[in-house]
Amino acid sequence: MTTVQRHPKLDVLVEHDVVTHSTARRALSVLRVAFGLTFLWAFFDKLFALGFHTGVNAEGVTDRFGPAAWINGGSPTTGFLKFGVPENNPFQGFFNGMAGQAWADWLFMAGLLGIGLALTLGIGMRIAAAAGTLLYALMWAASLPLENNPVIDDHMIGAISVVVLAALLAGDTWGFGQRWARTGLVRRHGFLR
């Protein structure tokens, strides 16, 4: 006979029920926060043109907080979607058509911020994984044909990683996932976990 150990204060499935070794939980947490900060950094770089990918002109001159910043009217999608999609990409016209569109800018920036906050804080991991996978898949499609591997690149690895983090409840260690899971809202709507 197998006995199930219940946690007296918890009546929801939490990370230490799924990942039983504390070192593994901490490692997953570090990975989660690293991915979260990557999304947040991209958001702030595009928002303020901090000079890493946004705010550097063709001559290599950096204009931080300049006209490329979203807050100053720059478009966070134009650079990559208009100039970063290879000419032999089968979806080039589709992606070029989205470049600079207000709805694409807003969705992209909301996605970066939302995914970044969810992963960093450890809440809403399922939605973050779905949105992150979609965003990574679109960036993967925009990068076709791939240079180093016919199928797998860093976008696919990122998509797989955010799904694994959500599946393993990685928001519970060094995050607010357990508290979030116990809220009435999340209990009623499990997809918010």
Side-chain angles (χ1 to χ4, degrees):
M1 184 165 122
T2 304
T3 59
V4 175
Q5 184 179 7
R6 299 270 182 209
H7 301 284
K9 293 183 180 179
L10 303 174
D11 60 350
V12 295
L13 186 66
V14 295
E15 185 183 18
H16 64 264
D17 294 327
V18 179
V19 181
T20 59
H21 198 279
S22 62
T23 302
R25 288 193 302 272
R26 288 191 293 269
L28 287 169
S29 181
V30 169
L31 183 64
R32 170 184 56 81
V33 171
F35 268 102
L37 293 177
T38 300
F39 279 96
L40 287 176
W41 177 256
F43 171 79
F44 286 112
D45 185 40
K46 301 220 175 287
L47 182 65
F48 298 118
L50 298 175
F52 286 82
H53 270 104
T54 308
V56 180
N57 68 17
E59 291 81 36
V61 176
T62 301
D63 186 10
R64 289 182 177 87
F65 304 100
W70 195 38
I71 60 167
N72 291 330
S75 169
T77 61
T78 296
F80 179 68
L81 293 179
K82 190 164 188 149
F83 306 110
V85 179
E87 288 184 22
N88 57 344
N89 182 302
F91 309 110
Q92 184 188 27
F94 171 74
F95 288 115
N96 287 171
M98 280 194 290
Q101 298 290 324
W103 64 267
D105 289 344
W106 277 94
L107 279 176
F108 179 65
M109 292 297 280
L112 290 177
L113 180 62
I115 296 163
L117 286 174
L119 291 173
T120 303
L121 298 175
I123 60 173
M125 295 286 295
R126 290 178 181 166
I127 292 175
T133 298
L134 176 62
L135 186 58
Y136 276 129
L138 287 169
M139 289 189 292
W140 173 84
S143 300
L144 292 175
L146 303 177
E147 292 181 12
N148 298 319
N149 185 306
V151 178
I152 302 293
D153 72 345
D154 58 328
H155 300 108
M156 281 294 110
I157 300 300
I160 293 166
S161 297
V162 294
V163 169
V164 168
L165 291 169
L168 296 179
L169 305 174
D172 291 1
T173 298
W174 298 340
F176 298 102
Q178 283 187 32
R179 285 188 212 154
W180 178 249
R182 288 192 298 255
T183 64
L185 178 67
V186 177
R187 287 174 186 251
R188 285 189 306 278
H189 306 288
F191 68 92
L192 295 173
R193 176 74 158 102

